[in-house]
Amino acid sequence: MQVHISPSMNRITISTSNGFLDFTKVKMAARYLSYRTLFYSVLALVFLLPFVFIITALMTLENFGSCSTIDCLGRKWGPAFPPFDSNMRDSKRILSVLSQVATEKFPEEMSIPESFSDLVAEVGAKNLGTRASVLKLRAMVEAFERQAKEAKLQETLYKHFASTGIPKGLHCLSLKLTAEYTSNARARCELPAPELVPRLTDNSFHHYIMASDNVLAASVVVSSTIKNAKEPWKIVFHVITDKKTYAAMHAWFALYPLFPAIVEVKGVHQFSWLTKDHVPVLEALETHNNVLWYYHGDLGVGTNLSDSPRLLSSKLQARSPKYISILNHLRIYLPELFPDLKKVIFLDDDIVVQRDLSHLWSIDMKGKVNGAVETCRGEDTWVMSKTFKTYFDFSNPLIASNFKPDKCAWAYGMNIFDLEAWRNSDITKVYHHWLQQNIKANLTLWRLGTLPPSLIAFDGYVHPIDPSWHMLGLGYQPKTDIEKVKQAAVIHYNGQAKPWLDIAFAELKSFWTKYVDYSNEFIQHCNILES
């Protein structure tokens, strides 16, 4: 076989060796290196070499001279895209180290720096590697997290004590009014006047009931209700208090009557039938050792650092001593306390009435006993998201076998009670039964005081009313919508941040203080200030 290459190098001829010419022609592109190409190549190198020199010098000055591979040069000087994106490569390396030390145990002898600057100094002084440095950083972060949670627990405890205590000004007000009751005949005058007593049982009037041992709070509820009523002459207020506050409460409403409305003040001790002999559960609440320890013992028991601030606050609030007060359980005895009344509105002492409530008396209850705002639906998912599982322990078989966790809850604070329908039910009996069951279970069936047993007792007897009548959460929701507060008929400071306390939310407090007469001599003498 013979191979012939043409002078122009664009054709190859192959012939066999047997004498026959068998040409195979293969065309090729011309391959030659011209002087022009060589010239341009040398010219390009002349321009590139100074840049290479400058880059090399910079790398040396910045201690990057150790880069001896293309990969290293690419990471330091290459374009910001894979595989040369240094940020992405660094992120992967950091993630790898973090993953390695995430579950690693800390050496017993390892010291934890107290600040980031201490960490930097230690890493530099001891020439710690990446893994050891990240492990120390993790130890620092976890230590700071524990300190923050402990501080939050302490803050929540202090806030709880502030909310359950009696401010100095309110204590002073009660003492001065009590002294006035003993020395001033006008402070002891009958409430109401004898000629108005028949109205106390007249069902053509609008009867409001409140139980409180806080004189200032009670005065705000009564005055705000009357001032915003279209027909104040129809209002009859029944204020019930305990024995120690009776004189002060009576003196206040005797000295500062709210005509043309009628205000009656009665002490629990004046209801002869409301005794431990007639209501055994009251004796159990006051004498049972587990009950006393739960509400007066170590409040830190049952809390831990893994609890959220909201859960911690809820646990502490549930252990407030007010929940074993007779005043807090009083509403369950309304049919017996007021045997002549047919329909009443019960108001808590931490509410403010902002609109006329007379329309509530014309609501058709459809045979139900309790007209209340449901708290399982609404825009504010923090306040209006309460169901039975919010209050009850469904891990307990007694609860799980009797109730549904997603059943809608409702609110105490502003309730319409049809006392006639109530008297034809066994609501009070069921309430007592479940209180006793909870005591037997060492108070583990529910938390948050009197609402859970009421949810059970009134189950099937609740008529939902429009949420605009009763806005909740002003005592624990700092992000309350101010415009909605202005529109609500009744606003409720349920929660720890009561409006008469220093821990109240400043932007919400003014809705309450507008009904306090800070020019009153007793309020001024007790140094009760608006802000």
Side-chain angles (χ1 to χ4, degrees), residues 314-472:
S314 177
K315 286 182 177 180
L316 291 171
Q317 186 179 352
R319 300 184 65 175
S320 173
K322 72 177 184 179
Y323 290 129
I324 55 175
S325 166
I326 179 59
L327 291 178
N328 208 43
H329 293 268
L330 201 62
R331 71 194 85 195
I332 203 65
Y333 305 114
L334 292 181
E336 292 81 11
L337 291 172
F338 302 95
D340 299 315
L341 298 183
K342 296 180 180 179
K343 181 181 283 190
V344 300
I345 291 179
F346 190 93
L347 299 173
D348 278 351
D349 65 357
D350 55 354
I351 64 101
V352 174
V353 177
Q354 301 188 125
R355 291 208 319 257
D356 175 54
L357 301 182
S358 59
H359 176 70
L360 295 175
W361 301 94
S362 61
I363 291 179
D364 182 7
M365 299 279 284
K366 299 180 179 178
K368 304 296 184 180
V369 174
N370 179 8
V373 169
E374 292 183 319
T375 56
C376 62
R377 56 182 68 88
E379 295 180 7
D380 190 341
T381 55
W382 192 10
V383 177
M384 302 297 285
S385 59
K386 307 294 192 304
T387 59
F388 271 41
K389 64 183 177 184
T390 307
Y391 301 98
F392 298 99
D393 180 10
F394 276 86
S395 65
N396 189 297
L398 185 61
I399 294 295
S401 61
N402 283 279
F403 310 107
K404 296 180 179 180
D406 295 326
K407 191 173 185 62
C408 191
W410 46 267
Y412 262 155
M414 196 282 292
N415 302 84
I416 313 166
F417 289 119
D418 185 335
L419 300 186
E420 284 189 306
W422 191 337
R423 294 184 185 101
N424 294 324
S425 72
D426 57 355
I427 290 173
T428 305
K429 182 179 179 181
V430 172
Y431 184 91
H432 284 162
H433 170 76
W434 280 98
L435 273 183
Q436 291 168 344
Q437 291 298 316
N438 195 33
I439 292 174
K440 290 178 181 178
N442 292 325
L443 307 180
T444 58
L445 299 185
W446 64 72
R447 61 176 186 269
L448 290 181
T450 56
L451 180 56
S454 297
L455 292 175
I456 297 173
F458 285 99
D459 190 19
Y461 294 98
V462 178
H463 175 72
I465 61 177
D466 191 278
S468 64
W469 286 108
H470 184 190
M471 184 176 185
L472 299 130

Side-chain angles (χ1 to χ4, degrees), residues 17 112 158 163 171 234 255 334 342 344 348 367 477 512:
S17 60
I112 301 176
Y158 290 151
S163 67
H171 183 63
K234 281 190 174 183
L255 293 173
L334 292 181
K342 296 180 180 179
V344 300
D348 278 351
Q477 170 60 295
W512 184 84

Side-chain angles (χ1 to χ4, degrees), residues 62-289:
E62 296 179 10
N63 296 322
F64 290 133
S66 58
C67 283
S68 59
T69 64
I70 294 177
D71 176 71
C72 179
L73 290 172
R75 285 188 281 108
K76 301 299 182 183
W77 297 95
F81 56 83
F84 300 112
D85 188 349
S86 61
N87 290 333
M88 182 178 294
R89 290 175 177 271
D90 289 344
S91 176
K92 289 182 178 179
R93 288 198 303 274
I94 293 172
L95 179 61
S96 175
V97 176
L98 290 174
S99 301
Q100 291 173 11
V101 303
T103 57
E104 188 174 335
K105 292 184 178 180
F106 298 117
E108 293 183 2
E109 68 281 0
M110 186 179 71
S111 61
I112 301 176
E114 294 184 358
S115 66
F116 186 76
S117 59
D118 291 343
L119 174 65
V120 174
E122 185 175 346
V123 171
K126 297 182 179 180
N127 294 320
L128 296 178
T130 303
R131 187 187 185 91
S133 301
V134 173
L135 190 63
K136 277 188 173 290
L137 183 60
R138 177 191 150 205
M140 279 182 59
V141 171
E142 292 185 2
F144 290 154
E145 285 180 348
R146 284 194 299 271
Q147 292 174 14
K149 288 180 179 179
E150 289 172 358
K152 192 64 181 179
L153 173 60
Q154 198 70 28
E155 177 190 357
T156 306
L157 281 169
Y158 290 151
K159 191 173 182 180
H160 171 73
F161 293 137
S163 67
T164 56
I166 302 175
K168 182 179 179 181
L170 296 186
H171 183 63
C172 166
L173 180 63
S174 183
L175 290 178
K176 285 190 174 296
L177 287 169
T178 301
E180 191 72 12
Y181 181 85
T182 60
S183 62
N184 187 344
R186 192 163 66 90
R188 296 193 303 274
C189 69
E190 291 188 50
L191 287 177
E195 64 272 16
L196 299 177
V197 170
R199 295 188 184 183
L200 297 178
T201 56
D202 189 338
N203 285 288
S204 65
F205 289 85
H206 296 165
H207 294 267
Y208 295 86
I209 300 174
M210 176 181 55
S212 176
D213 60 355
N214 186 328
V215 176
L216 192 61
S219 72
V220 168
V221 176
V222 176
S223 62
S224 65
T225 304
I226 294 171
K227 288 180 180 179
N228 289 294
K230 292 181 179 179
E231 300 175 318
W233 55 88
K234 281 190 174 183
I235 292 179
V236 178
F237 243 105
H238 306 267
V239 179
I240 306 174
T241 188
D242 56 16
K243 189 173 184 178
K244 65 179 176 59
T245 315
Y246 172 76
M249 191 76 74
H250 188 284
W252 178 271
F253 287 106
L255 293 173
Y256 309 107
L258 294 165
F259 298 116
I262 296 174
V263 179
E264 174 194 33
V265 178
K266 295 198 73 172
V268 172
H269 58 286
Q270 294 175 317
F271 294 96
S272 58
W273 67 271
L274 194 60
T275 63
K276 297 174 184 177
D277 295 333
H278 291 89
V279 189
V281 71
L282 297 181
E283 182 177 7
L285 288 173
E286 292 182 6
T287 61
H288 196 282
N289 288 332

